[in-house]
């Protein structure tokens, strides 16, 4: 039989040993469950920046600048077979008459070349009901007007905004996606200014005529090229970003900070 005094001493030593073991660091390979930090919801600023950044990067990687640089302006504006047809042809015919009246023997051929295409900083606003987004896509480019005999006549700076509506919709499998709604050029956003011109020509008259032609054909032309690119980019956005934005739009929660 163990003496009571010896048992008390043993228990005291055991307690001290256990306390010392508890103070030792755990082995590096100890397999213990780690505390999981709950995922924080995306802040409104992060969602808005993530969307505009994703759209901008997607448009650039999707070849937007190349599309702008290769706009078929000459094919649209240049009369074929020496005859003008329709409104655009009539306007261009008047422009050619003005140019040829100043420079004798000038052939009725004008080369319109796009240079330095740019995608500027995207803008983002949310509808008053919170269920839709409107993305402003500002584009810039330079336009050089050339003739075979004279060379460069004019260099113009062109700016145009495309506005894309973004909606959250449910498909037949009850999955919710971001889709493109209305996509059009912003009325009155086309700005054309003269950068350089041939001093011996009546620049303002020529500029007015050319601007009139571009105002009628350029916005629709750019819109037709850019909007399909936006639609494609929406389907390639980060899944988590889309999920968070869709959740906000469905419930009409504001996440676009007004400045």
């Amino acid at each position: 039989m163990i003496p009571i005094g010896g048992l008390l001493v043993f228990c005291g030593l055991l307690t001290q040993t256990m306390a010392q073991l508890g103070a030792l660091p755990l082995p590096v390979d100890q397999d213990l469950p780690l505390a999981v930090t709950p995922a924080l919801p995306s802040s409104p600023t992060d969602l808005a920046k993530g969307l505009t950044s994703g759209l901008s990067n997607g448009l650039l990687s999707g070849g937007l600048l190349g599309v702008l640089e290769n706009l078929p302006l000459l094919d649209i504006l240049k009369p074929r077979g020496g005859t003008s047809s329709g409104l655009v042809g009539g306007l261009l015919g008047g422009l050619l008459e003005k140019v040829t009246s100043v420079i004798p023997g000038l052939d009725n051929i004008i080369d319109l070349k796009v240079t330095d295409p740019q995608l500027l900083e995207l803008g983002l606003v949310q509808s008053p009901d919170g269920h839709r987004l409107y993305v402003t896509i500002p584009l810039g480019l330079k336009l050089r007007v050339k003739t075979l005999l004279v060379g460069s006549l004019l260099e113009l700076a062109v700016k145009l905004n495309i506005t894309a509506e973004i909606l959250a919709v449910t498909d037949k499998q009850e999955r919710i996606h971001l889709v493109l709604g209305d996509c059009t050029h912003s009325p009155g956003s086309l700005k054309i200014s003269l950068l350089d011109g041939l001093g011996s020509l009546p620049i303002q008259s020529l500029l007015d005529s050319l601007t009139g032609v571009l105002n009628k054909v350029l916005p629709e032309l750019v819109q037709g090229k850019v909007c399909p690119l936006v639609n494609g980019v929406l389907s390639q956005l980060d899944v988590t970003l889309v999920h968070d934005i869709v959740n906000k739009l469905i419930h009409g929660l504001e996440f676009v900070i007004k400045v």
Side-chain angles (χ1 to χ4, degrees), residues 84-105:
S84 300
S85 59
L87 178 61
V88 174
L91 289 171
L92 185 59
L95 170 62
L96 291 173
E97 289 178 4
K98 289 184 178 181
V99 176
T100 54
S101 66
V102 176
I103 307 177

PDB file of all heavy atoms in Angstrom, residues 84-105:
ATOM      1  N   SER A  84     -21.067  58.671-106.681  1.00  0.00           N
ATOM      2  CA  SER A  84     -21.456  58.774-105.284  1.00  0.00           C
ATOM      3  C   SER A  84     -22.876  58.281-105.138  1.00  0.00           C
ATOM      4  O   SER A  84     -23.731  58.555-105.980  1.00  0.00           O
ATOM      5  CB  SER A  84     -21.360  60.228-104.807  1.00  0.00           C
ATOM      6  OG  SER A  84     -20.039  60.697-104.939  1.00  0.00           O
ATOM      7  N   SER A  85     -23.129  57.559-104.060  1.00  0.00           N
ATOM      8  CA  SER A  85     -24.482  57.054-103.837  1.00  0.00           C
ATOM      9  C   SER A  85     -24.884  57.296-102.405  1.00  0.00           C
ATOM     10  O   SER A  85     -24.074  57.170-101.491  1.00  0.00           O
ATOM     11  CB  SER A  85     -24.539  55.545-104.137  1.00  0.00           C
ATOM     12  OG  SER A  85     -23.637  54.849-103.310  1.00  0.00           O
ATOM     13  N   GLY A  86     -26.126  57.636-102.187  1.00  0.00           N
ATOM     14  CA  GLY A  86     -26.641  57.820-100.845  1.00  0.00           C
ATOM     15  C   GLY A  86     -26.146  59.100-100.212  1.00  0.00           C
ATOM     16  O   GLY A  86     -25.456  59.910-100.815  1.00  0.00           O
ATOM     17  N   LEU A  87     -26.517  59.258 -98.937  1.00  0.00           N
ATOM     18  CA  LEU A  87     -26.187  60.466 -98.204  1.00  0.00           C
ATOM     19  C   LEU A  87     -24.690  60.624 -98.032  1.00  0.00           C
ATOM     20  O   LEU A  87     -24.116  61.687 -98.260  1.00  0.00           O
ATOM     21  CB  LEU A  87     -26.878  60.439 -96.831  1.00  0.00           C
ATOM     22  CG  LEU A  87     -26.595  61.618 -95.905  1.00  0.00           C
ATOM     23  CD1 LEU A  87     -27.065  62.909 -96.540  1.00  0.00           C
ATOM     24  CD2 LEU A  87     -27.281  61.405 -94.562  1.00  0.00           C
ATOM     25  N   VAL A  88     -24.036  59.524 -97.612  1.00  0.00           N
ATOM     26  CA  VAL A  88     -22.595  59.603 -97.386  1.00  0.00           C
ATOM     27  C   VAL A  88     -21.860  59.909 -98.672  1.00  0.00           C
ATOM     28  O   VAL A  88     -20.948  60.739 -98.722  1.00  0.00           O
ATOM     29  CB  VAL A  88     -22.087  58.287 -96.768  1.00  0.00           C
ATOM     30  CG1 VAL A  88     -20.576  58.307 -96.663  1.00  0.00           C
ATOM     31  CG2 VAL A  88     -22.708  58.073 -95.399  1.00  0.00           C
ATOM     32  N   GLY A  89     -22.260  59.243 -99.760  1.00  0.00           N
ATOM     33  CA  GLY A  89     -21.606  59.491-101.037  1.00  0.00           C
ATOM     34  C   GLY A  89     -21.782  60.922-101.487  1.00  0.00           C
ATOM     35  O   GLY A  89     -20.862  61.546-102.015  1.00  0.00           O
ATOM     36  N   GLY A  90     -22.983  61.473-101.263  1.00  0.00           N
ATOM     37  CA  GLY A  90     -23.235  62.853-101.653  1.00  0.00           C
ATOM     38  C   GLY A  90     -22.381  63.826-100.875  1.00  0.00           C
ATOM     39  O   GLY A  90     -21.822  64.774-101.411  1.00  0.00           O
ATOM     40  N   LEU A  91     -22.260  63.586 -99.560  1.00  0.00           N
ATOM     41  CA  LEU A  91     -21.442  64.468 -98.736  1.00  0.00           C
ATOM     42  C   LEU A  91     -19.976  64.389 -99.141  1.00  0.00           C
ATOM     43  O   LEU A  91     -19.275  65.390 -99.216  1.00  0.00           O
ATOM     44  CB  LEU A  91     -21.591  64.086 -97.257  1.00  0.00           C
ATOM     45  CG  LEU A  91     -22.942  64.423 -96.617  1.00  0.00           C
ATOM     46  CD1 LEU A  91     -23.042  63.800 -95.235  1.00  0.00           C
ATOM     47  CD2 LEU A  91     -23.131  65.930 -96.523  1.00  0.00           C
ATOM     48  N   LEU A  92     -19.503  63.171 -99.380  1.00  0.00           N
ATOM     49  CA  LEU A  92     -18.115  63.002 -99.777  1.00  0.00           C
ATOM     50  C   LEU A  92     -17.855  63.611-101.138  1.00  0.00           C
ATOM     51  O   LEU A  92     -16.807  64.200-101.382  1.00  0.00           O
ATOM     52  CB  LEU A  92     -17.743  61.516 -99.790  1.00  0.00           C
ATOM     53  CG  LEU A  92     -16.273  61.224-100.084  1.00  0.00           C
ATOM     54  CD1 LEU A  92     -15.385  61.895 -99.055  1.00  0.00           C
ATOM     55  CD2 LEU A  92     -16.026  59.733-100.123  1.00  0.00           C
ATOM     56  N   GLY A  93     -18.851  63.517-102.033  1.00  0.00           N
ATOM     57  CA  GLY A  93     -18.690  64.129-103.338  1.00  0.00           C
ATOM     58  C   GLY A  93     -18.482  65.625-103.224  1.00  0.00           C
ATOM     59  O   GLY A  93     -17.643  66.208-103.908  1.00  0.00           O
ATOM     60  N   GLY A  94     -19.253  66.268-102.331  1.00  0.00           N
ATOM     61  CA  GLY A  94     -19.079  67.697-102.110  1.00  0.00           C
ATOM     62  C   GLY A  94     -17.712  68.006-101.543  1.00  0.00           C
ATOM     63  O   GLY A  94     -17.072  68.988-101.913  1.00  0.00           O
ATOM     64  N   LEU A  95     -17.235  67.149-100.626  1.00  0.00           N
ATOM     65  CA  LEU A  95     -15.903  67.336-100.058  1.00  0.00           C
ATOM     66  C   LEU A  95     -14.828  67.233-101.125  1.00  0.00           C
ATOM     67  O   LEU A  95     -13.906  68.048-101.193  1.00  0.00           O
ATOM     68  CB  LEU A  95     -15.669  66.283 -98.961  1.00  0.00           C
ATOM     69  CG  LEU A  95     -14.251  66.171 -98.412  1.00  0.00           C
ATOM     70  CD1 LEU A  95     -13.839  67.476 -97.750  1.00  0.00           C
ATOM     71  CD2 LEU A  95     -14.158  65.019 -97.422  1.00  0.00           C
ATOM     72  N   LEU A  96     -14.956  66.250-102.001  1.00  0.00           N
ATOM     73  CA  LEU A  96     -13.962  66.063-103.055  1.00  0.00           C
ATOM     74  C   LEU A  96     -13.951  67.248-104.005  1.00  0.00           C
ATOM     75  O   LEU A  96     -12.894  67.677-104.478  1.00  0.00           O
ATOM     76  CB  LEU A  96     -14.254  64.772-103.811  1.00  0.00           C
ATOM     77  CG  LEU A  96     -14.027  63.473-103.012  1.00  0.00           C
ATOM     78  CD1 LEU A  96     -14.525  62.281-103.813  1.00  0.00           C
ATOM     79  CD2 LEU A  96     -12.558  63.315-102.669  1.00  0.00           C
ATOM     80  N   GLU A  97     -15.128  67.778-104.308  1.00  0.00           N
ATOM     81  CA  GLU A  97     -15.186  68.937-105.201  1.00  0.00           C
ATOM     82  C   GLU A  97     -14.448  70.122-104.599  1.00  0.00           C
ATOM     83  O   GLU A  97     -13.756  70.865-105.302  1.00  0.00           O
ATOM     84  CB  GLU A  97     -16.638  69.294-105.476  1.00  0.00           C
ATOM     85  CG  GLU A  97     -17.348  68.274-106.368  1.00  0.00           C
ATOM     86  CD  GLU A  97     -18.803  68.648-106.585  1.00  0.00           C
ATOM     87  OE1 GLU A  97     -19.201  69.734-106.098  1.00  0.00           O
ATOM     88  OE2 GLU A  97     -19.519  67.890-107.238  1.00  0.00           O
ATOM     89  N   LYS A  98     -14.585  70.306-103.276  1.00  0.00           N
ATOM     90  CA  LYS A  98     -13.899  71.420-102.621  1.00  0.00           C
ATOM     91  C   LYS A  98     -12.382  71.237-102.694  1.00  0.00           C
ATOM     92  O   LYS A  98     -11.637  72.171-102.948  1.00  0.00           O
ATOM     93  CB  LYS A  98     -14.343  71.521-101.165  1.00  0.00           C
ATOM     94  CG  LYS A  98     -15.762  72.025-101.000  1.00  0.00           C
ATOM     95  CD  LYS A  98     -16.110  72.193 -99.526  1.00  0.00           C
ATOM     96  CE  LYS A  98     -17.523  72.738 -99.373  1.00  0.00           C
ATOM     97  NZ  LYS A  98     -17.890  72.942 -97.957  1.00  0.00           N
ATOM     98  N   VAL A  99     -11.932  70.012-102.450  1.00  0.00           N
ATOM     99  CA  VAL A  99     -10.493  69.762-102.480  1.00  0.00           C
ATOM    100  C   VAL A  99      -9.943  69.909-103.887  1.00  0.00           C
ATOM    101  O   VAL A  99      -8.915  70.543-104.105  1.00  0.00           O
ATOM    102  CB  VAL A  99     -10.198  68.351-101.921  1.00  0.00           C
ATOM    103  CG1 VAL A  99      -8.711  68.048-102.033  1.00  0.00           C
ATOM    104  CG2 VAL A  99     -10.653  68.256-100.469  1.00  0.00           C
ATOM    105  N   THR A 100     -10.622  69.321-104.863  1.00  0.00           N
ATOM    106  CA  THR A 100     -10.127  69.374-106.236  1.00  0.00           C
ATOM    107  C   THR A 100     -10.188  70.775-106.810  1.00  0.00           C
ATOM    108  O   THR A 100      -9.431  71.104-107.721  1.00  0.00           O
ATOM    109  CB  THR A 100     -10.934  68.419-107.127  1.00  0.00           C
ATOM    110  OG1 THR A 100     -12.322  68.726-107.000  1.00  0.00           O
ATOM    111  CG2 THR A 100     -10.708  66.975-106.724  1.00  0.00           C
ATOM    112  N   SER A 101     -11.093  71.604-106.294  1.00  0.00           N
ATOM    113  CA  SER A 101     -11.155  72.975-106.796  1.00  0.00           C
ATOM    114  C   SER A 101      -9.955  73.781-106.320  1.00  0.00           C
ATOM    115  O   SER A 101      -9.581  74.776-106.926  1.00  0.00           O
ATOM    116  CB  SER A 101     -12.448  73.649-106.323  1.00  0.00           C
ATOM    117  OG  SER A 101     -12.441  73.795-104.911  1.00  0.00           O
ATOM    118  N   VAL A 102      -9.340  73.361-105.208  1.00  0.00           N
ATOM    119  CA  VAL A 102      -8.178  74.072-104.689  1.00  0.00           C
ATOM    120  C   VAL A 102      -6.893  73.545-105.314  1.00  0.00           C
ATOM    121  O   VAL A 102      -5.985  74.302-105.620  1.00  0.00           O
ATOM    122  CB  VAL A 102      -8.123  73.918-103.144  1.00  0.00           C
ATOM    123  CG1 VAL A 102      -6.855  74.577-102.586  1.00  0.00           C
ATOM    124  CG2 VAL A 102      -9.364  74.526-102.525  1.00  0.00           C
ATOM    125  N   ILE A 103      -6.814  72.221-105.508  1.00  0.00           N
ATOM    126  CA  ILE A 103      -5.616  71.610-106.072  1.00  0.00           C
ATOM    127  C   ILE A 103      -5.980  70.983-107.408  1.00  0.00           C
ATOM    128  O   ILE A 103      -6.589  69.914-107.453  1.00  0.00           O
ATOM    129  CB  ILE A 103      -5.046  70.536-105.128  1.00  0.00           C
ATOM    130  CG1 ILE A 103      -4.834  71.129-103.731  1.00  0.00           C
ATOM    131  CG2 ILE A 103      -3.758  69.949-105.660  1.00  0.00           C
ATOM    132  CD1 ILE A 103      -4.354  70.140-102.716  1.00  0.00           C
ATOM    133  N   PRO A 104      -5.664  71.625-108.512  1.00  0.00           N
ATOM    134  CA  PRO A 104      -6.027  71.096-109.829  1.00  0.00           C
ATOM    135  C   PRO A 104      -5.417  69.712-110.057  1.00  0.00           C
ATOM    136  O   PRO A 104      -4.271  69.445-109.682  1.00  0.00           O
ATOM    137  CB  PRO A 104      -5.437  72.135-110.803  1.00  0.00           C
ATOM    138  CG  PRO A 104      -5.262  73.370-109.983  1.00  0.00           C
ATOM    139  CD  PRO A 104      -4.952  72.905-108.615  1.00  0.00           C
ATOM    140  N   GLY A 105      -6.177  68.834-110.738  1.00  0.00           N
ATOM    141  CA  GLY A 105      -5.692  67.517-111.089  1.00  0.00           C
ATOM    142  C   GLY A 105      -5.705  66.515-109.952  1.00  0.00           C
ATOM    143  O   GLY A 105      -5.233  65.392-110.120  1.00  0.00           O
TER     144      GLY A 105
END
